Amino acid sequence: MPDDKAAVKEQLSVSEYRYRNMFAAMTVSFWELDFSGAGKILYGLRKQGVSDLRRHFVEHPEVVRELMKASIVLDVNDKSVSQFGAESHEVLLGPVDRYWPVASENVFAESVIAALAGQPYFEQVTRLHRLDGSEFDVLFTASFPRESVERGILLIGLVDLTDTKRAQDEVARVTAELAHAARVSTLGELTASIAHEVNQPLAAIVTGEASLRWLNRPEPDLNEAKAAIGRMIQDGQRASGIIARIRAMSTKTAPEPALLDVNTMVSDATLLVQREIETHGIKLIIDLAADLPPVKADPVQLQQVVMNLLVNAIQAMAACEPCMQVGRRLIARTRPGAEEGVRVEVVDAGPGIEPDKADQLFNAFFTTKATGMGMGLSICKSIIEAHGGKIWAAPKPGGRGAVFAFTLPAGA
Ligand code: ADP
């Protein structure tokens, strides 16, 4: 009946319209693939008696390439156009082999094997080429509904994993840094035992003044004096050995320089001390200069420096009651440095420092804190100087507080 026919046609076109809409508007890239040419090649292989396709593909990788050349993109949705950097849908049509790097060939081969084994779909993470030749990470899915397969048509879905990968890398990086930060902070807990260890050789050195008595006799006993001095030297070496071990533990032995963006590094470091900042009711101001050159530095070591300065600033303000009245403000600032380098400043509103004592703060074991170890700034100084930079402290101009600053030469 004509009315029925019209209704069926109407239904079909609604369904076609819905399918089109889905295909076009999804945030996943979809390809409709004509697989009939590849099917013919596979049929030929079977006729030649090839039964183990996986082995055949390994022994004849050129066959996988041929299959790709014979697999033709018939249609793509809007997302594919942006994902592959194309100007229009049409540009993407044609053989798929140009999207497949050699390293990803086995994923294509496995999807063919899955289709022939009658599996409903295949899914694997791999890398593909954009039109400009750059590679990106994707989740490749191929579905093999029987009706489509019989018509030689496959539907491919591609989810861009670039952001996911970046987020994963970021998590791995921050985790590694946190682990390192945790190791550095346990240094504080080791203070008592390290102080004890260093104190022993120092005490022995002080008793070495006996050598003076051997010398001050009317008839100096040079042998005794020599022996006493020898023991002093040994004790001194023991003490410096202990310090060297602590330093190695906290600066890491092998710096791994990389070109890095100081602004990112400073913002990351502030994230790691966010909790302390909040606990002590401190207002953090991040003031980053635009257009800074990259610096060549070990990212973990540099982060350690900035973190040390931030933690010191937080501790200085937290321990200072009168500072509460002016407000606890912490500024992390970056600026272009002299000779095209970069300068980083950590400014606090704590008790400040005396100008003539500013240099002393960087000496190993200088501390004014009951549980301090006095290693933080000394380690910062070794790290910055090893990177060709300078570090210093000064009273905050025009107000209560301190400025700790360092410079680094430009990297490129
Ligand atoms: P520690 O924190 O274990 O004392 P540091 O080497 O990090 O070791 O610091 C050495 C000393 O420098 C501190 O004990 C403190 O007296 C002084 N100092 C560091 N940062 C500041 C600051 N922001 N304001 C005032 N004094 C500071």
Side-chain angles (χ1 to χ4, degrees):
M1 281 179 283
D3 270 4
D4 276 359
K5 261 194 186 164
V8 169
K9 211 174 151 199
E10 167 70 13
Q11 253 182 9
L12 263 177
S13 83
V14 167
S15 142
E16 158 85 7
Y17 172 77
R18 273 172 47 199
Y19 167 72
R20 273 279 132 209
N21 253 356
M22 252 171 67
F23 184 80
M26 289 291 280
T27 56
V28 171
S29 160
F30 279 124
W31 297 0
E32 199 180 14
L33 216 65
D34 177 355
F35 197 67
S36 53
K40 280 191 193 120
I41 298 176
L42 291 166
Y43 183 69
L45 289 177
R46 192 178 297 169
K47 270 181 75 178
Q48 284 167 32
V50 174
S51 54
D52 187 344
L53 259 188
R54 187 170 284 124
R55 211 170 105 192
H56 189 76
F57 287 157
V58 172
E59 286 166 3
H60 306 278
E62 71 284 356
V63 176
V64 180
R65 271 288 142 193
E66 267 178 53
L67 288 169
M68 288 177 184
K69 286 187 181 140
S71 305
I72 311 295
V73 183
L74 295 179
D75 197 2
V76 297
N77 64 350
D78 291 349
K79 184 67 189 174
S80 311
V81 175
S82 57
Q83 196 165 309
F84 282 82
E87 276 156 19
S88 65
H89 293 64
E90 289 69 35
V91 190
L92 290 172
L93 309 186
V96 297
D97 70 302
R98 61 177 161 160
Y99 304 111
W100 287 85
V102 174
S104 305
E105 275 176 356
N106 70 318
V107 174
F108 187 90
E110 284 299 324
S111 72
V112 171
I113 291 168
L116 294 184
Q119 291 180 15
Y121 70 95
F122 171 84
E123 175 177 289
Q124 195 164 326
V125 173
T126 188
R127 287 173 73 77
L128 292 183
H129 276 148
R130 295 190 189 90
L131 282 187
D132 66 3
S134 59
E135 280 188 17
F136 68 118
D137 295 286
V138 289
L139 175 66
F140 168 83
T141 58
S143 55
F144 319 118
R146 179 178 292 215
E147 315 81 68
S148 306
V149 173
E150 278 166 4
R151 288 189 301 124
I153 300 292
L154 297 186
L155 200 59
I156 306 289
L158 300 167
V159 183
D160 190 337
L161 297 181
T162 310
D163 290 340
T164 318
K165 275 284 283 178
R166 198 178 294 140
Q168 279 171 349
D169 291 349
E170 189 67 6
V171 168
R173 187 178 70 79
V174 173
T175 309
E177 280 170 16
L178 268 179
H180 184 62
R183 197 176 60 192
V184 173
S185 72
T186 54
L187 271 179
E189 291 154 26
L190 289 176
T191 310
S193 58
I194 291 169
H196 178 74
E197 260 196 85
V198 178
N199 208 31
Q200 274 184 330
L202 287 181
I205 291 170
V206 174
T207 58
E209 70 189 339
S211 59
L212 280 179
R213 284 202 299 277
W214 295 114
L215 292 174
N216 282 339
R217 288 174 166 205
E219 235 175 274
D221 189 331
L222 289 183
N223 283 336
E224 286 290 352
K226 260 195 209 156
I229 291 171
R231 283 194 298 275
M232 276 167 66
I233 292 172
Q234 269 177 12
D235 287 327
Q237 282 165 345
R238 233 174 85 203
S240 78
I242 293 166
I243 294 172
R245 281 206 303 282
I246 300 168
R247 207 182 271 274
M249 190 171 135
S250 49
T251 54
K252 295 208 312 178
T253 34
E256 286 167 28
L259 268 193
L260 56 95
D261 174 39
V262 175
N263 284 346
T264 312
M265 194 267 307
V266 169
S267 329
D268 285 357
T270 62
L271 287 180
L272 294 174
V273 293
Q274 197 62 41
R275 252 177 67 109
E276 281 79 0
I277 289 176
E278 281 163 18
T279 313
H280 296 293
I282 292 169
K283 183 171 162 51
L284 172 71
I285 298 159
I286 302 180
D287 171 16
L288 306 175
D291 298 329
L292 290 179
V295 298
K296 193 156 192 194
D298 180 312
V300 177
Q301 287 193 351
L302 211 53
Q303 185 123 54
Q304 194 185 334
V305 171
V306 179
M307 265 186 63
N308 265 327
L309 299 184
L310 291 170
V311 169
N312 272 349
I314 293 166
Q315 288 179 346
M317 288 191 277
C320 170
E321 277 304 321
C323 308
M324 278 301 270
Q325 284 139 26
V326 285
R328 293 175 168 171
R329 271 161 54 106
L330 172 60
I331 307 174
R333 179 181 288 148
T334 60
R335 287 288 179 269
E339 289 162 28
E340 300 186 344
V342 173
R343 190 172 80 235
V344 177
E345 289 177 3
V346 173
V347 186
D348 65 54
I353 51 179
E354 291 168 38
D356 55 331
K357 300 246 170 69
D359 285 345
Q360 270 182 35
L361 309 184
F362 294 92
N363 292 344
F365 299 116
F366 178 91
T367 183
T368 54
K369 296 172 196 166
T371 57
M373 192 163 62
M375 287 300 287
L377 288 176
S378 141
I379 289 169
C380 290
K381 191 170 154 139
S382 330
I383 293 176
I384 293 300
E385 287 177 356
H387 283 90
K390 275 197 198 108
I391 186 166
W392 67 93
K396 177 165 139 191
R400 188 200 283 271
V403 182
F404 282 79
F406 64 84
T407 54
L408 288 171

